[in-house]
Amino acid sequence: MNYKSTRNSSLQVTAAQAIAQGISAEGGLFVPETLPEITQDDLRMLADKSYVERAKFVLGKFLTDFTEEELANCVESAYTADKFGSDDIAQLAHLYDGTYMLELWHGPTCAFKDMALQLLPHLLTVSAGKTAQGKEMVILVATSGDTGKAALEGFKDVPGTKILVFYPEDGVSNMQKRQMTTQEGKNVGVCAIKGNFDDAQNGVKAIFTSPEMAEKLAEKNRMFSSANSINWGRLVPQIVYYISAYCELVKAEEIQCGDPINVVVPTGNFGNILAAYYAKGMGLPVKTFICASNANKVLTDFINTGTYDKNRAFHTTISPSMDILISSNLERLLYALSGEDDKQIADWFGQLKSQGTYTVSEDVKQKLQAEFVGGYCDDCATKATIKAVFDKYSYLCDTHTAVAVKVYEDYKKKTGDTTKALIASTASPYKFTGAVLEALCGEVPQMDDFAQVQKLHEMSGLPIPTALAELKNKSVRFAGCIEAGQMPETVLSLLGE
Ligand SMILES: *Cc1c(COP(=O)(O)O)cnc(C)c1O
C-alpha cells in the first residue's frame, strides 16, 4: 500500500515515509492510494477479539511496509491495561436506548488524543528506522490543549526523538495548562504563544515547510516530524476504534452485523470524524456522520452551504479543543469527494490561505451533504446538556462530548432518524472541571482546581484519574510565552542551537 498527497496524486511514498515526513513537500496531506476492504466476515471474526488484536488487523492493512512483528510490538506497547485502566481500551457506555458513548479518554492524559498518541511514537520510530537512518526526529506540535499533553506523554524519553509543543496562552483550560507546563522528560519543550490555535498551527506549518529550518536541522542530523492530526500515523489508529466499537455492538447483540449506525463526533481539526469516514470507506456500515461544533461553527456552515469561510470572529469557549477555524483534515475528505482532484484541492486550499475562504463545486457539496450533517451549540446549551444528561441518566459528560450530545439530539428531533448511534466521548469531565461544575451547580465554586476536582468527585461518584490528581504536587518547568512570529527561533533555542 502506497500513499499519495492530496496536492499531488502522482506521488508514491510508503507508509513509513508518510509517517516520518508528516506532511508532503508541496503542502498536501498523505492519503492511502486506496482504502483496504473490511468485510462483514472480518467484523464477525474481530467481534471475538481483543482491542489489541483488532488494532493489529486494521493497521496491518494500511501499514504494509511494517513487518508483522514490528506492528505487533508497536500495538502491544501502546495499548496496555496499565495505561488505559483495563484491556478494554475504547470502552462503550450505554447512554440511553440505541445511543452509545464511545469513551476514548481512559488513556494517560484523559483525552481521546491518547488513542493515537500512545501509538504514534512507536510507529514513528519504526518509520524513521526505515527511512531516515540515524536521524533524530524533532516532533513539533501546535495544540488547542489535549494534543500537546498527549503527545508529550507519548514521546517523553522515547530515544531518537525530541518533542516541542506550542499552545495558545489563553486558549486552554487550567488543568490542560498545568498538565503541559509540568511535563517531565529529558527530550521535551513547551511554550505558550500569544494568539489562538490557528496562529500556533500556522506557525508550525510554516516551520515544517521552511527550507532554511530544514537545513539547520539537517546540519545536526535531525529532521522535523509532526504529531498533529495531519500525520497519517495519527489518523490510522483512530480508524481502529470505530471498527472496534462496531464489533462491540455486534458482540453485545445491540446490532446485527451489517446494520448501519450513525456516528456523532465533536469536531475540531476534523481528524476524529475523518477516521470514521475512512472506516466506512473500508466497509463499516455507517449511515450518517454528524459533525458537531461549538460556537466556532465554520464546519456547520461549510456543510450547509459549501462555502468554507474562516473570516469570522474567533470564540474562546468551554470546549477549547474545538476552538478551531481551520480544520486541516477536511482537505483529505474533499480530496476523496472531488474524485481525488489534486489540482482542485491545491486551488481551494490556496484560496483558503490567501483569502480565507473557498467554495466547493455543487457536485462535491451534494456528496458532502449525502453523508454529513453539521450542527453546533453554544456554551450555554453545552452546560444545559451536561446538567440534563447527568440528571436524567447519571452520566457525566465533558464539555466537548456534551456538544456532540446536544447536536445529536437536535438532529434526531429534526429528522426523526432512529438509527442507533455512536457518540464519540472525547475527554474526561475532570479535564474541564470548572465548566462542568458550573453546569451542574450554576456557578464555578470559588476554590482551587484540585478542590474543584474533589467536589466534582463527591457530586458524581466518578473516579478521579490518577494522572490528574498527581498534578497537584508537580512544579512548573515551562513558563515561557512568545509572539507567534518568534516560533522558529524558539524552536532552535529549545533544541539548544
Ligand atoms: C481534539 C479534540 C476534539 C476534536 O477532535 P478533531 O479530531 O480535532 O476533530 C474534540 N474533543 C476533544 C476533547 C479533543 O481533545
Side-chain angles (χ1 to χ4, degrees):
M1 158 94 61
N2 277 319
Y3 290 75
K4 50 196 175 184
S5 158
T6 50
R7 300 189 201 176
N8 179 3
S9 296
S10 57
L11 194 74
Q12 285 214 329
V13 301
T14 61
Q17 283 172 305
I19 292 170
Q21 215 176 306
I23 187 167
S24 186
E26 78 301 316
L29 307 184
F30 292 116
V31 289
E33 57 189 355
T34 52
L35 285 176
E37 200 187 340
I38 188 157
T39 64
Q40 287 189 19
D41 282 342
D42 291 335
L43 292 172
R44 276 188 209 97
M45 178 275 291
L46 290 174
D48 292 322
K49 298 274 193 311
S50 66
Y51 191 85
V52 161
E53 292 306 316
R54 291 170 188 164
K56 286 184 202 166
F57 182 88
V58 175
L59 294 167
K61 291 186 175 286
F62 286 100
L63 310 179
T64 51
D65 50 333
F66 283 50
T67 65
E68 209 169 304
E69 195 191 348
E70 284 169 338
L71 198 56
N73 280 338
C74 290
V75 171
E76 285 164 14
S77 318
Y79 299 124
T80 63
D82 188 34
K83 289 177 179 156
F84 285 82
S86 85
D87 286 324
D88 200 359
I89 303 295
Q91 300 181 17
L92 268 189
H94 201 158
L95 185 63
Y96 49 80
D97 204 25
T99 304
Y100 312 87
M101 308 303 283
L102 174 55
E103 293 183 349
L104 301 170
W105 42 264
H106 293 282
T109 75
C110 313
F112 96 93
K113 306 289 196 294
D114 288 328
M115 298 301 298
L117 281 164
Q118 282 298 313
L119 184 61
L120 180 70
H122 302 287
L123 298 181
L124 193 63
T125 350
V126 174
S127 299
K130 288 180 189 295
T131 65
Q133 221 85 46
K135 281 215 177 76
E136 184 177 53
M137 307 298 278
V138 177
I139 316 301
L140 277 190
V141 181
T143 185
S144 54
D146 291 330
T147 302
K149 177 61 184 179
L152 288 162
E153 266 312 298
F155 281 96
K156 170 181 79 182
D157 295 330
V158 171
T161 70
K162 282 214 156 52
I163 171 151
L164 306 177
V165 171
F166 293 94
Y167 70 91
E169 186 185 17
D170 298 318
V172 301
S173 78
N174 286 348
M175 202 54 97
Q176 288 176 317
K177 188 178 281 189
R178 214 182 260 272
Q179 278 185 311
M180 288 188 282
T181 55
T182 59
Q183 179 64 41
E184 292 164 353
K186 290 189 290 293
N187 62 340
V188 307
V190 177
C191 189
I193 65 148
K194 297 182 181 128
N196 60 35
F197 169 71
D198 292 317
D199 299 320
Q201 177 161 262
N202 285 337
V204 163
K205 275 190 192 163
I207 293 172
F208 273 131
T209 45
S210 152
E212 300 92 80
M213 288 296 282
E215 208 175 300
K216 281 226 167 69
L217 263 75
E219 285 167 13
K220 295 273 168 73
N221 202 29
R222 290 173 166 153
M223 70 180 269
F224 281 124
S225 188
S226 148
N228 272 103
S229 64
I230 51 174
N231 191 314
W232 178 249
R234 274 283 300 277
L235 268 177
V236 70
Q238 301 185 347
I239 299 173
V240 176
Y241 52 70
Y242 288 106
I243 293 173
S244 176
Y246 192 92
C247 291
E248 286 296 312
L249 291 174
V250 170
K251 188 170 148 190
E253 298 183 0
E254 297 285 334
I255 57 172
Q256 299 275 314
C257 194
D259 288 352
I261 57 168
N262 286 339
V263 172
V264 190
V265 185
T267 297
N269 219 5
F270 211 78
N272 201 2
I273 196 166
L274 182 73
Y277 175 78
Y278 282 149
K280 178 177 182 179
M282 294 174 72
L284 195 74
V286 179
K287 190 170 137 236
T288 302
F289 298 97
I290 297 155
C291 175
S293 300
N294 63 25
N296 296 295
K297 61 182 186 63
V298 67
L299 286 167
T300 310
D301 293 342
F302 175 64
I303 293 170
N304 289 337
T305 65
T307 294
Y308 194 99
D309 188 358
K310 76 162 185 86
N311 302 318
R312 58 176 73 208
F314 177 88
H315 302 282
T316 299
T317 73
I318 56 171
S319 43
S321 299
M322 296 153 70
D323 290 348
I324 289 177
L325 293 180
I326 302 175
S327 294
S328 302
N329 272 300
L330 188 61
E331 178 164 342
R332 287 185 163 111
L333 176 69
L334 296 181
Y335 182 70
L337 295 180
S338 68
E340 311 202 326
D341 188 340
D342 53 354
K343 303 275 170 317
Q344 185 64 81
I345 295 299
D347 182 41
W348 286 337
F349 286 85
Q351 288 179 41
L352 180 66
K353 193 162 183 201
S354 60
Q355 290 144 49
T357 177
Y358 60 89
T359 299
V360 298
S361 62
E362 194 52 34
D363 173 56
V364 166
K365 180 174 135 188
Q366 277 177 14
K367 284 186 186 147
L368 177 71
Q369 292 177 345
E371 290 181 285
F372 286 81
V373 170
Y376 75 101
C377 80
D378 63 13
D379 280 355
C380 189
T382 306
K383 284 184 238 169
T385 304
I386 291 173
K387 173 135 178 66
V389 168
F390 184 68
D391 289 350
K392 252 188 177 155
Y393 310 109
S394 303
Y395 188 88
L396 192 63
C397 303
D398 96 291
T399 48
H400 304 75
T401 308
V403 168
V405 172
K406 171 71 169 117
V407 167
Y408 176 58
E409 287 180 346
D410 289 348
Y411 165 81
K412 260 196 322 194
K413 252 185 228 136
K414 194 166 154 201
T415 60
D417 185 353
T418 55
T419 307
K420 292 186 174 171
L422 199 59
I423 301 181
S425 173
T426 51
S428 157
Y430 286 109
K431 266 197 114 158
F432 304 95
T433 309
V436 171
L437 273 177
E438 189 184 359
L440 298 182
C441 314
E443 59 179 5
V444 191
Q446 292 308 308
M447 47 176 83
D448 78 25
D449 294 346
F450 295 100
Q452 286 184 0
V453 164
Q454 188 57 35
K455 182 168 168 76
L456 188 59
H457 172 64
E458 281 157 20
M459 288 182 73
S460 69
L462 194 69
I464 302 172
T466 347
L468 294 185
E470 283 172 352
L471 286 178
K472 193 172 180 175
N473 304 318
K474 294 201 171 153
S475 49
V476 170
R477 287 184 70 198
F478 301 102
C481 182
I482 57 162
E483 300 289 340
Q486 295 173 289
M487 285 171 65
E489 62 208 64
T490 307
V491 163
L492 295 176
S493 90
L494 285 170
L495 288 174
E497 292 198 357

